[in-house]
Amino acid sequence: IDDAIATSLTPEQVDAVLAPKVDAAWNLHRQTRHLPLNAFVLFSSASATFGSPGQAAYAAGNGFLDALAAHRQAEGLPAQSIGWGYWQQDSGMTGHLSDIDRARIGQALTPIPTAQGLELFDAALGAPHPHLLATPINLTKAPSPPPPLLQDLVRGSSTRRTASSAVGPTDLAGRLAGLSPEEQDGEVLSLVRTNVAAVLAHGSVGSVDAGRPFSELGFDSLTAIELRNRLATATGQRLPATLVFDHPTPRALAQHLKHTLLNTHVPATAQTTGTTTEEPIAIVAMGCRYP
């Protein structure tokens, strides 16, 4: 793996990540296709299905494995690609994860104990499908609204989605306009600290020091993008990928968002009917980093 934001990936990084997946699997396929194999099992990743922030190359490599399994089965050859989630036991790919990384992963995906992983492996081998996901998912901790792939699994997802969007971006800007400057500061700072705590998997907002630099709070390029995405959703604003680096503390970021919201707010009496010219916000799907 060589985690990086997709727009910053170099050809060398992509080649290094794809080689052990794409090149190795394709060569193995070509060199064994004439043999009477009982099984041809590829260890893929759930990141190819759900997406994983900062792991575009890794997800693509595993997506190739999933497609290769389908290709082999279409040719009458044995093949299965198992999309694993996050294994509890440390490995060469997960040993570097911090406590923050593990807590964020645990928000949706439950770590797989070795015994359960072996049971999942046996179950996958007995299934006829070329591609299966093998990961326990804690639906009670799924984000709201849940990712599209999980919406049918989460009971009352539409209700939760409605409730979570009851106070939308337009309401936030309008509410700020009716508050005093001090109340505006508190409202937006609370929004920022709440989302910082969620991204870093802190137990409480109180643990987020508003004056401490994001770099000292534990942010990296991936978590910075996740915070940007959350705040873009909450505010309805187009926010740059460099948001956290341009405004290096929660308090500085809150001040920036407050001025942005107040400057873009249009009172209801000034709004006109007709087709809106506002473009939709493209939000990157937010998940967890997992192997």
Side-chain angles (χ1 to χ4, degrees):
I1 58 175
D2 193 347
D3 294 354
I5 303 303
T7 53
S8 68
L9 285 172
T10 65
E12 291 74 23
Q13 285 178 293
V14 175
D15 287 344
V17 174
L18 293 187
K21 294 284 185 179
V22 177
D23 293 350
W26 183 249
N27 287 331
L28 190 63
H29 158 67
R30 294 187 62 186
Q31 296 299 318
T32 63
R33 60 181 303 159
H34 64 285
L35 301 176
L37 302 180
N38 292 323
F40 186 96
V41 184
L42 300 160
F43 271 35
S44 180
S45 166
S47 64
T49 299
F50 291 115
S52 184
Q55 294 192 318
Y58 185 67
N62 286 289
F64 176 86
L65 299 187
D66 302 338
L68 177 59
H71 173 70
R72 282 182 58 91
Q73 278 206 10
E75 291 192 337
L77 301 173
Q80 277 190 320
S81 183
I82 304 176
W84 293 107
Y86 170 59
W87 282 70
Q88 190 176 65
Q89 181 175 336
D90 284 343
S91 68
M93 291 193 300
T94 61
H96 69 284
L97 295 178
S98 66
D99 291 340
I100 291 176
D101 292 326
R102 297 178 189 277
R104 290 173 65 242
I105 291 170
Q107 290 179 352
L109 298 183
T110 303
I112 305 171
T114 299
Q116 184 184 28
L118 295 176
E119 292 176 358
L120 289 171
F121 179 74
D122 289 339
L125 292 185
H129 310 290
H131 175 219
L132 292 170
L133 286 179
T135 180
I137 301 174
N138 189 339
L139 296 177
T140 63
K141 293 186 177 182
S144 180
L149 286 173
L150 299 181
Q151 284 181 358
D152 290 340
L153 300 179
V154 179
R155 289 186 177 182
S157 61
S158 60
T159 302
R160 294 174 58 196
R161 187 163 56 252
T162 301
S164 67
S165 59
V167 179
T170 302
D171 296 325
L172 175 60
R175 189 168 66 254
L176 288 179
L179 299 177
S180 67
E182 293 76 15
E183 291 171 330
Q184 291 171 350
D185 291 341
E187 182 82 9
V188 183
L189 182 58
S190 176
L191 172 69
V192 172
R193 293 177 71 206
T194 297
N195 282 280
V196 168
V199 169
L200 297 179
H202 285 342
S204 67
V205 175
S207 61
V208 178
D209 186 343
R212 192 175 180 186
F214 286 110
S215 58
E216 295 181 7
L217 290 173
F219 272 78
D220 56 22
S221 60
L222 303 180
T223 46
I225 290 295
E226 183 174 341
L227 179 60
R228 186 281 303 266
N229 292 339
R230 283 176 171 270
L231 293 175
T233 301
T235 63
Q237 300 294 314
R238 284 186 176 275
L239 302 175
T242 57
L243 182 72
V244 168
F245 305 103
D246 294 338
H247 310 281
T249 67
R251 181 172 288 110
L253 178 53
Q255 285 294 310
H256 168 73
L257 291 177
K258 183 189 80 168
H259 292 304
T260 299
L261 288 166
L262 292 178
N263 289 335
T264 58
H265 173 61
V266 179
T269 55
Q271 293 179 0
T272 59
T273 59
T275 303
T276 178
T277 58
E278 182 180 358
E279 298 180 7
I281 297 176
I283 303 298
V284 178
M286 292 175 294
C288 302
R289 276 187 291 171
Y290 46 80

